[in-house]
Structure formats: C-alpha cells, structure tokens
Amino acid sequence: MIFSVGQAAIKQLQGDKKAATSIFHEYISVTTSVVVEHGVSSDHMLAVRGREFFENILIQFSSQRIYWVLFKFPCSPEFFAVLGQVLRDRIKASAESSTGQQGENMRDMVVREVLSMVLERRTPEEVIVPLKNLSLYVEIVHHTGYPDALILFLGSTLASMATQIAEWRPSNFDANHLLKICALVAQHHKAQSKDLLFQGEKYLRAALHRFNVDQASISQLLQISVTSHRRLSRMPGAPVAANHIPDALLDTASILLKGRVRQQAQTLTSLLETVCQSLAMKEGIFGTESVLSAATEGLAYLQEHRTEGTYKDFDFTANLAIAKLMIQAVNLDSRMMAIVTGQENGLSVRVWALLLHAVITSFWSESGVVLWRTLGRFSQEYNKNIQKILIVPQNLASDVASIDINLATISVKLWLLLIQQICNKSALSTVMGHNMDREQCENVLWNEIWPGFERLLQRSVIVAEFDEYQAAVNLIVQSFIDIIHLLRHLQSSLILDSKLRIYLDQVKALKLSDSMTNKIARASEVLRGTTGDSSSTSPLKTIRRDFLAVEKIGWEVRRRAEEREARRHVREPTMG
C-alpha cells in the first residue's frame, strides 16, 4: 500500500516539480533501504515489491529523463546495487519476450542520457554530482558489453568536455570522474579502446592543466592504455598505433614545471608519482629523452621556483615528487647525474635534502648508492654555506643563516639515514659495486660534514654572551643535540667520537634558557649511555616535519626580501 500510494502521489504532483522531486527521492531512499535489508536479489515479499516500485517509476517517467533526475542528487552504492538488479531483471524479461530490444539496452540508456544532459550544461556545479553518480554507476552496475555507438558517444563527450572545462574554475569541478569512466570502459572493451583512449588523452591533458587530478585516476588510465595498446599490437593485421598517454603525462609535467599554465601542486604530485612508480618498476613505458627533459625542468623548478601565495603542505609534497623524478632519471640514464652535479653555481643544500628524502622514503637502494657517490659534491655546497655564514660575524644572526643552518642539519640527518638504508644486508647483496660497510660510510660522511659543523659550534660559544646572537646560538646547540639523539637512535659508532663530549661540555657552560639547559643535560645522559633515545616518533617523520617548517619559513623570508627590493626600486629616482 505504501509503495502504491507513493507512486500515485508522485504521478499526481508532476505539475509541482519541487514537491514531486522531494517525495520521489524520499521514496527512492526508503525503497533502497528496504530492498537492501532483505537482499537485493532475494524473493522476500518486500524486496520484490520494492524492485517493482523501482521498475514502475523508471517506466512511468522514462520520457522525462528519469536517470538525470535521479543522478542530480547524491546516490549511495546501495542505490546502484538495487538499480542494477532492476535493470538486469528488465533486460532479462525483454530478452525472453518477443519484443527483445535491439541496439542499446536499458543499462546503456542510463549512460547516454546522463552524458547527453552533461553536454547541455554550461556550469560545473550542474554536472559535479551527476558525473560522480555516473562514475559509480559504471563501476558498480555497467562497465561491460557496451555497443560501439555508445563507446563512440563516450569518446565524443570526452573531446567536447576537454574544450568545455577550459573555461571552468579549478575549484568548482572534479575532473576525476570522467577519467575513471573512460578507463573502466576502455579496460573492458580493449578491441574498441583505441579511439576512446585517443579522445581520453585530449580530456586528460585539459584536466591535468587546470584541475586537481588524483594519482589513482592517472595511474588507472595509464595502465589500461598500456595493456590495451599491447593487446592491439598483438592482433594479426592490426596497424600499430602509438600510445600517446605516457607522452601526455610527461609533456604536461614539463609544461607545469616551466610555469606555462597555472600550476596545480596536487596534480603535479599525482602526475610525477605515477611516472616514478612506473619507472621504478622498469616497465619501459616512458621514453628516456622525455624523462630526462622533464627531470631537467624539475631541477630548474627546484632551484629557481618561488611559490605564489602561501606555501602549503602539498607544495612540499610536489617538491619531493620532483626529486623522485630526478632520481629515477639518474637510474635511467647517467647523463642526468651529470646535469644534477654540473650546475654552474652548485646544487643547493635544500635540493640535496629533497633528493635524499625522496630516496629514503622510496626505499630505492640502488638510487641511494648512486646518491651516496655524490657525497663530495654535497660537501662542497654544505661547507660553502657554512663559510658564508661565518665569514661576516653579523651573518650568523640573519634569517638566511637560520635557514641555512636548519637545512644543513636536516641534510646531515638524512645522510645518516641513507647510510643505514644502503648498508643493510639486502642492499649490500643486491646493489652492484657497493661493498662499504656502515661504519666505513659513516666515517667518510663524518670527515666531510663534521669540520664545518664544528666551526659553527666554536662560533656559537664565542658569541653566546651577546643578546643579538641568542637565537642563532640556541639553534646551533639544538641542532647539535638533535644529531646526538639521532646517532644514539641509529646505534651509530660515531656516538663514541670524543669531540661530541668536549663540545657538549662547552655548551653546557653557556648561560642559556632553562629549557635548553635541560635538553643539554638530557643529551649528556644519552652520550654517556646512561639512557637511550626515548623518542616515540620515527626520525624520518621528525625530519620531514622540520623540513616542511623550514621550507615555509624560507619561502616567507624570500617573499619579504623580494617585497623590500621592489619597494627600494620604486623609491629610487630614475636618471635621464
């Protein structure tokens, strides 16, 4: 009775679209819950009656774009499970009758109707929810057995949307849904996928240039394009067509890194992570020259780029993704390392830290060994920065010096973690040409970096009595303490170096804050071995947190410096 009354009410209220739509969606929601509770395909009376209600509604409003009306509101996976069962029942009944449907069936009509209405809309707000629902529908209900005409229509929709979304604001549209639909349909229709993926590439390029695209969407489309291309290439007599989607990813990455279009840091991260994942698995999808070109652009981006607006967490994540691409390019071709280490003014300590972080978090032992062999280049830049801080006494108190000291400390910690990674038994047995044990590597590192840090400690002891240097002294002492804690945590033999105790005793004698004094006392206990490192946070998490904070501060310092420089030029009178 309830189902019958609901159906009658909806029919009578057709003149009042708002009221009819409200009742309609309420009944759909209730019916979905009832059917799911008793089993989507069960013979329970309420499940059967609920499916009949669904079917009657679909028939009654079939001429009024019922699926578009349904898809304009958020729909649950349970709703699509019920809808899928109703459509299967209708298709089965149609096939058993003498009026069997030719061409597109009822499941196909859902896709065509929604896509047709999407093409008629002119604002992103009108299509966000319908496309999300259509993506769920294709995933849960209907992704196989598409007729050729519907696949062609989906392809033409992708091409049209590639043009249309170029006018939409990035914050108002989710480009992922159409990419997922394209990938799912291409995956299950490989023989007909060539033209669909060709149109999908156009949409992909437009989406990557303007919107935040998920790594899952990019990776799924890439993998399906590769498998489809390989299958088509093996078909006898079939012309070999190029797969342009890998090129689209690297081309777009280069364009984003050059700043030719408005950069989306999240999309850049998704894009580069997908490329790096493929390169790490040695799938042979991407051309060497294209990878080198994108990595070279990435290097220039890291060395020169200034973020517009506020530096966000995802800007940092994008920088790490660029560093991963550079490392994978080094693995692919040794020319990339020559480009990295052959920078006219040297590779900044900041970029070295990004490269180290990228390798450590990716567990690429081979890449780690390659990076280890460049320690001498890092050491040159590291010591040059320290010398720049110390050459003029006043430099120590500057914001730039604070950033440089932080980056130097972060880099030293990352080198220690890298040594731990590349000197484990697995790495030593799998990486050719690497036979140094951990203690040897740590001693080599210490000989490169300790003299410079020692000079910083010496200077901090000398200037500690002056108020203007208190912040710098605290930073240097804190960095020293952090390194001691890390050495103890890693159970490094470097903790036995007598100079650590000598300098810790010296800074202990300084007049510092109570908080710093307590930290020094704690470090003394760690150094004597009377207590271990009690930190529950992994060293890498702590380093990443500190690195992100330094990146944000560094950006703000550079931004203020640029503003001061701009104001100075405005005030200066012009001559002539």
Side-chain angles (χ1 to χ4, degrees), residues 107-367:
R107 285 182 298 183
D108 301 328
M109 289 166 58
V110 177
V111 178
R112 182 176 287 276
E113 179 178 304
V114 175
L115 288 178
S116 298
M117 293 301 292
V118 165
L119 289 174
E120 292 179 12
R121 306 300 104 175
R122 288 293 174 264
T123 62
E125 292 81 5
E126 294 177 281
V127 302
I128 289 177
V129 175
L131 282 177
K132 180 179 181 180
N133 285 328
L134 183 60
S135 175
L136 284 171
Y137 173 81
V138 172
E139 179 183 354
I140 298 171
V141 179
H142 186 37
H143 46 258
T144 60
Y146 280 44
D148 290 350
L150 185 57
I151 293 177
L152 286 172
F153 180 65
L154 174 57
S156 66
T157 301
L158 288 165
S160 298
M161 290 298 290
T163 302
Q164 191 161 320
I165 64 176
E167 305 299 324
W168 290 351
R169 294 177 58 185
S171 59
N172 291 355
F173 181 66
D174 188 340
N176 292 285
H177 303 311
L178 272 175
L179 289 174
K180 292 176 182 176
I181 293 169
C182 175
L184 278 169
V185 175
Q187 179 182 3
H188 293 90
H189 302 82
K190 291 187 176 66
Q192 301 95 345
S193 63
K194 184 178 74 171
D195 292 335
L196 177 60
L197 290 171
F198 177 74
Q199 303 298 349
E201 181 217 336
K202 295 180 182 177
Y203 178 81
L204 175 65
R205 287 180 182 269
L208 291 174
H209 283 175
R210 194 163 181 82
F211 301 95
N212 289 329
V213 183
D214 298 338
Q215 184 181 346
S217 300
I218 300 172
S219 182
Q220 183 182 27
L221 190 62
L222 173 65
Q223 293 304 321
I224 289 167
S225 73
V226 170
T227 55
S228 295
H229 176 258
R230 288 172 179 167
R231 183 182 184 279
L232 291 171
S233 300
R234 290 195 297 266
M235 293 176 65
V240 179
N243 178 14
H244 295 292
I245 287 181
D247 290 337
L249 298 184
L250 286 177
D251 289 348
T252 305
S254 293
I255 290 171
L256 289 174
L257 291 168
K258 289 176 181 176
R260 291 179 183 168
V261 297
R262 181 174 180 176
Q263 185 229 359
Q264 300 291 323
Q266 291 166 294
T267 297
L268 184 61
T269 302
S270 300
L271 184 57
L272 296 181
E273 289 285 359
T274 301
V275 173
C276 290
Q277 189 177 55
S278 174
L279 291 172
M281 295 174 68
K282 303 185 186 301
E283 294 176 327
I285 296 174
F286 299 98
T288 299
E289 296 303 323
S290 297
V291 173
L292 290 179
S293 176
T296 304
E297 293 295 343
L299 174 59
Y301 179 96
L302 292 181
Q303 288 276 69
E304 303 169 8
H305 182 67
R306 297 291 181 269
T307 306
E308 296 178 2
T310 305
Y311 192 97
K312 304 287 187 181
D313 290 14
F314 50 72
D315 290 306
F316 180 63
T317 308
N319 289 340
L320 290 176
I322 296 169
K324 288 181 182 179
L325 177 67
M326 292 167 59
I327 291 295
Q328 283 302 329
V330 169
N331 285 345
L332 193 64
D333 194 308
S334 59
R335 287 178 292 168
M336 188 64 209
M337 183 52 76
I339 295 171
V340 170
T341 58
Q343 296 293 296
E344 183 177 352
N345 297 320
L347 200 64
S348 68
V349 172
R350 170 179 171 268
V351 177
W352 280 109
L354 288 167
L355 292 173
L356 287 162
H357 194 294
V359 170
I360 294 167
T361 54
S362 305
F363 301 100
W364 296 331
S365 297
E366 184 180 352
S367 306

Side-chain angles (χ1 to χ4, degrees), residues 450 453-461 476 480 503 507:
W450 174 250
F453 199 85
E454 186 177 27
R455 292 198 300 273
L456 280 177
L457 282 169
Q458 291 169 346
R459 179 62 60 86
S460 67
V461 171
I476 294 169
F480 182 40
Y503 281 103
V507 298

